[in-house]
Amino acid sequence: MLKSKPKKLAGILFLASFLSFSSIDSFAGERSLGLFNSLKGFGISYQGTRHSDLFESLDLYADIYGFPLGRAAYYPGVKLVYLHNRVFSDFSKDCCNGFFYAGVGLSAGYVRDFEKKNLSYLANNLGFCTSVAGAAGVRFDFGSIALDLSMEIEAGLHLRGAEYHEHNVLILYKNGIYQSFYPQLKIFWNF
C-alpha cells in the first residue's frame, strides 16, 4: 500500500505538469514532435514555434539510470523537462538550415539517483526529483525532418522513501550533474 502512493502521486504530478505546459505555444506556425534519445533515457520531445529568437521545448522520457549496466531491475523512472530557449546564432548550408541555442527551465521526475559503482545492484528506492535545468545545443533542419543535438545540466533535490526505515530521505540530485555530459539526440518531424 505504501509503495503505490508514490506511483499515483508521480502520475498526478506529470499529468498536471503536461497540462500546464500544453499551452507553451500558440499552436500556430511550425512545431516539431519527435524522439528523445540519450544515455539518460528514451522518450518523446516537442519543440514549439520559434518566435523571433525564442522557442520552448518539452521532453518526456524514461530515465534508464542503472539499466544499461544491469544494476537496476523492474522498471525505469520517468522525467519531464521544460526549457525556455534563446537562439543566439543561425546558419545556412547547402543541405540544411540551423541554429545554436541555449535555454533554462525546470525538470521533475520519479527517478533513481546516483549510487556508488562498487555496488552490483542499485539499492535505493526511486524518488521524486525537481530541478532547475539548463541546456545548450544545435539544431539542423532538413525540410520536414530536423536533428537536434544538445547537452543538459540539472541542479535540484531528490526525495525518496528510506529503504529500511519509515521516513523520507532528501538529498541533492546528483545525476542531474553527473549525467550533464551525456549528449541528447532528438529526431524531429516538423509540422
Side-chain angles (χ1 to χ4, degrees), residues 11-12 43 65 82 93 106 113 132 160 178:
I12 292 169
Y65 175 69
Y82 164 78
K93 301 287 181 186
L106 301 170
D113 198 10
V132 174
R160 64 178 166 78
Y178 295 158

Side-chain angles (χ1 to χ4, degrees), residues 59-127:
D59 301 324
L60 177 63
Y61 63 93
D63 183 271
I64 61 169
Y65 175 69
F67 279 86
L69 299 176
R71 296 180 65 207
Y74 308 119
Y75 47 89
V78 63
K79 188 182 284 186
L80 179 69
V81 181
Y82 164 78
L83 293 166
H84 183 76
N85 302 291
R86 176 173 293 276
V87 175
F88 58 87
S89 179
D90 287 298
F91 62 86
S92 182
K93 301 287 181 186
D94 294 336
C95 61
C96 68
N97 296 319
F99 55 83
F100 294 94
Y101 67 91
V104 296
L106 301 170
S107 71
Y110 186 63
V111 297
R112 291 177 176 83
D113 198 10
F114 177 80
E115 293 182 39
K116 292 182 181 178
K117 292 190 179 198
N118 60 356
L119 299 174
S120 57
Y121 292 101
L122 298 177
N124 294 343
N125 292 330
L126 285 149

